[in-house]
Amino acid sequence: MRIQNLIIPVAVSAAGLALSGNAMAETWKMALGDAAGGTQYELGSTFADLVEEKTDGEVTVELFPNGQLGSEQDTVNSASMGLLDLSVLAINNITPFSPTVGVMTLPYVIQGPEDARTLTQGAIGEELTENTIRDAGVRILGWAYSGCRRLTNSARPVAEPADLDGLNIRVPKNEIMISSYQAWGVNPSPLAWSETFTALQQGVVDGQDNPYITIDAMKFYEVQDHVTDSCYVFSMEPLIISEGKFQSLSPEMQELVLEAGQEATSHSYDYLLATESDIKRRLVEEHGMEITQPANNEQEWIDKATSIWPDFYDSIGGKEKLDADLAALGRDPA
Ligand code: MLT
């Protein structure tokens, strides 16, 4: 596995001969939206090492962190067109291409790592993969589990939705997340992930939300002082492969790549459980961030945000789809 830190134009996939049976070594390019060091990197580098090992070095995977190959949403287009082999990106940035994935970003559906695992594995996970192949031309090989998205800002402690008044909050270009903030009474600013750090640094926006691990990997503590310990969306980062690329592989190689994705996913789950609380502690003790608990066990946040669910029933595949996922999580229908 190699890490590429130079800024280069969108990469073109290496000629895919070796994996169709010819013994020619090749390098696959993997985009990462986040900096090296977070859950995307952990998933991507584990997958890269496994593929290299399983192919006896016939395939090397080169990682391009920090959005070097384009915004996360751009990388879906590139992979879909066969211009990029692999990408790890946040789930919210694939939803615009494959709307049924939106059920995973409906506020307060997924409440922790176990829920996330339930909705990404087995039959439910397979259906998601089929949908992204159909809608977006990319196949999900694995998942990084990154933790709850926490609201950060540079202005003041935020405990209840009214505290957001007057703050300009960056959100991903994702209709469900935009609507969640609107339900809390503010008009957020949709902005690509690759532009977020600079926008925070320059005060173009006052805040954003992402998991503790991502706040740390992206060094947001340099430009944000306050964190609200809320959990409206649980962030997951699919590892996707261009479906054209996948179909060009021999059946043995496809099997091997799927296996590497599964193994890297298990590693990612363990990594989250092993690191998140220590990272949270370091954000406070070493980087001076102040954590605020949401008022009244987050109830007002929950009530307002979940009121938007019906607006998205059609795009996620119907209320039945949400109810089936809630049932899988052992919860009541919507
Ligand atoms: C976003 O906020 O756009 C993403 O969640 C960022 C990420 O990929 O970590």
Short mmCIF file of all heavy atoms in Angstrom, two decimals, residues 33-34 40 72 89-90 92-93 149 170 172 193 209-210 214 235 237, ligand 1:
data_model
loop_
_atom_site.label_atom_id
_atom_site.label_comp_id
_atom_site.label_asym_id
_atom_site.label_seq_id
_atom_site.Cartn_x
_atom_site.Cartn_y
_atom_site.Cartn_z
N GLY A 33 -11.81 10.84 1.25
CA GLY A 33 -12.23 12.23 1.47
C GLY A 33 -11.52 12.84 2.67
O GLY A 33 -11.25 14.03 2.71
N ASP A 34 -11.24 12.01 3.68
CA ASP A 34 -10.64 12.51 4.92
C ASP A 34 -9.11 12.48 4.85
O ASP A 34 -8.53 11.82 3.98
CB ASP A 34 -11.04 11.61 6.10
CG ASP A 34 -12.53 11.69 6.42
OD1 ASP A 34 -13.23 12.51 5.80
OD2 ASP A 34 -12.97 10.93 7.29
N GLN A 40 -11.73 6.33 7.67
CA GLN A 40 -11.64 6.04 6.22
C GLN A 40 -10.26 5.46 5.91
O GLN A 40 -10.12 4.49 5.18
CB GLN A 40 -11.82 7.33 5.41
CG GLN A 40 -13.22 7.89 5.41
CD GLN A 40 -13.39 9.00 4.39
OE1 GLN A 40 -12.45 9.39 3.70
NE2 GLN A 40 -14.60 9.53 4.29
N GLU A 72 -15.89 14.16 -2.30
CA GLU A 72 -16.39 12.80 -2.14
C GLU A 72 -17.46 12.50 -3.20
O GLU A 72 -17.50 11.40 -3.76
CB GLU A 72 -16.93 12.59 -0.73
CG GLU A 72 -15.83 12.63 0.31
CD GLU A 72 -16.26 12.11 1.67
OE1 GLU A 72 -17.45 11.88 1.88
OE2 GLU A 72 -15.37 11.95 2.53
N LEU A 89 -15.87 7.09 1.21
CA LEU A 89 -16.54 8.39 1.40
C LEU A 89 -17.65 8.22 2.41
O LEU A 89 -18.03 7.09 2.72
CB LEU A 89 -17.10 8.88 0.06
CG LEU A 89 -18.30 8.15 -0.52
CD1 LEU A 89 -18.98 9.05 -1.54
CD2 LEU A 89 -17.91 6.86 -1.21
N ALA A 90 -18.15 9.34 2.91
CA ALA A 90 -19.23 9.23 3.91
C ALA A 90 -20.54 8.85 3.23
O ALA A 90 -20.79 9.23 2.08
CB ALA A 90 -19.38 10.56 4.63
N ASN A 92 -23.44 9.87 3.58
CA ASN A 92 -24.28 10.99 3.16
C ASN A 92 -23.91 11.49 1.77
O ASN A 92 -24.70 12.14 1.11
CB ASN A 92 -24.20 12.14 4.16
CG ASN A 92 -22.78 12.47 4.55
OD1 ASN A 92 -22.24 11.85 5.45
ND2 ASN A 92 -22.17 13.42 3.88
N ASN A 93 -22.68 11.22 1.34
CA ASN A 93 -22.25 11.72 0.04
C ASN A 93 -22.50 10.74 -1.10
O ASN A 93 -22.22 11.04 -2.25
CB ASN A 93 -20.78 12.14 0.09
CG ASN A 93 -20.64 13.44 0.87
OD1 ASN A 93 -21.53 14.29 0.82
ND2 ASN A 93 -19.56 13.59 1.62
N ARG A 149 -22.40 11.64 14.52
CA ARG A 149 -21.98 12.98 14.09
C ARG A 149 -22.27 13.96 15.21
O ARG A 149 -23.40 14.05 15.70
CB ARG A 149 -22.74 13.39 12.82
CG ARG A 149 -22.37 12.53 11.61
CD ARG A 149 -23.12 12.97 10.37
NE ARG A 149 -22.58 14.19 9.82
CZ ARG A 149 -21.80 14.25 8.73
NH1 ARG A 149 -21.45 13.14 8.10
NH2 ARG A 149 -21.37 15.40 8.28
N ARG A 170 -22.32 24.47 8.34
CA ARG A 170 -22.07 23.72 7.10
C ARG A 170 -22.71 22.35 7.20
O ARG A 170 -22.60 21.67 8.22
CB ARG A 170 -20.56 23.56 6.88
CG ARG A 170 -20.19 22.67 5.69
CD ARG A 170 -20.01 21.21 6.06
NE ARG A 170 -19.91 20.37 4.87
CZ ARG A 170 -19.74 19.05 4.89
NH1 ARG A 170 -19.64 18.41 6.03
NH2 ARG A 170 -19.70 18.36 3.78
N PRO A 172 -23.35 18.64 4.61
CA PRO A 172 -23.08 18.03 3.31
C PRO A 172 -24.22 18.37 2.34
O PRO A 172 -25.31 18.76 2.77
CB PRO A 172 -23.07 16.53 3.61
CG PRO A 172 -22.87 16.42 5.08
CD PRO A 172 -23.50 17.64 5.68
N TRP A 193 -17.34 18.52 1.26
CA TRP A 193 -16.45 18.17 2.37
C TRP A 193 -15.06 18.75 2.16
O TRP A 193 -14.42 19.25 3.08
CB TRP A 193 -16.40 16.64 2.49
CG TRP A 193 -15.53 16.08 3.57
CD1 TRP A 193 -14.57 15.13 3.42
CD2 TRP A 193 -15.55 16.40 4.96
NE1 TRP A 193 -13.99 14.84 4.62
CE2 TRP A 193 -14.57 15.60 5.59
CE3 TRP A 193 -16.29 17.28 5.74
CZ2 TRP A 193 -14.32 15.66 6.96
CZ3 TRP A 193 -16.03 17.35 7.11
CH2 TRP A 193 -15.06 16.55 7.70
N ASP A 209 -21.02 19.29 11.49
CA ASP A 209 -21.08 18.10 12.35
C ASP A 209 -20.35 16.93 11.71
O ASP A 209 -20.40 16.77 10.48
CB ASP A 209 -22.53 17.72 12.68
CG ASP A 209 -23.35 17.35 11.46
OD1 ASP A 209 -23.13 16.27 10.89
OD2 ASP A 209 -24.24 18.14 11.07
N ASN A 210 -19.65 16.18 12.54
CA ASN A 210 -18.94 14.96 12.14
C ASN A 210 -18.53 14.21 13.41
O ASN A 210 -18.50 14.78 14.49
CB ASN A 210 -17.72 15.30 11.26
CG ASN A 210 -18.01 15.08 9.77
OD1 ASN A 210 -18.19 13.95 9.34
ND2 ASN A 210 -18.12 16.17 9.02
N THR A 214 -13.41 11.85 13.20
CA THR A 214 -13.19 12.71 12.03
C THR A 214 -12.76 14.11 12.47
O THR A 214 -11.88 14.73 11.85
CB THR A 214 -14.49 12.78 11.19
OG1 THR A 214 -14.97 11.45 11.00
CG2 THR A 214 -14.25 13.43 9.86
N SER A 235 -22.34 8.10 11.48
CA SER A 235 -21.62 8.17 10.22
C SER A 235 -20.96 6.84 9.85
O SER A 235 -20.28 6.23 10.67
CB SER A 235 -20.55 9.25 10.28
OG SER A 235 -20.04 9.48 9.00
N GLU A 237 -18.86 4.97 6.41
CA GLU A 237 -18.14 5.34 5.19
C GLU A 237 -17.99 4.10 4.32
O GLU A 237 -17.14 3.25 4.60
CB GLU A 237 -16.75 5.87 5.53
CG GLU A 237 -16.60 6.51 6.91
CD GLU A 237 -16.84 7.99 6.92
OE1 GLU A 237 -16.78 8.60 5.86
OE2 GLU A 237 -17.10 8.53 8.02
C1 MLT B 1 -19.17 15.09 5.23
O1 MLT B 1 -19.44 15.75 6.25
O2 MLT B 1 -19.35 15.48 4.08
C2 MLT B 1 -18.58 13.75 5.45
O3 MLT B 1 -19.22 13.12 6.49
C3 MLT B 1 -17.17 13.88 5.75
C4 MLT B 1 -16.40 12.60 5.78
O4 MLT B 1 -16.28 11.95 4.77
O5 MLT B 1 -15.83 12.24 6.81
#
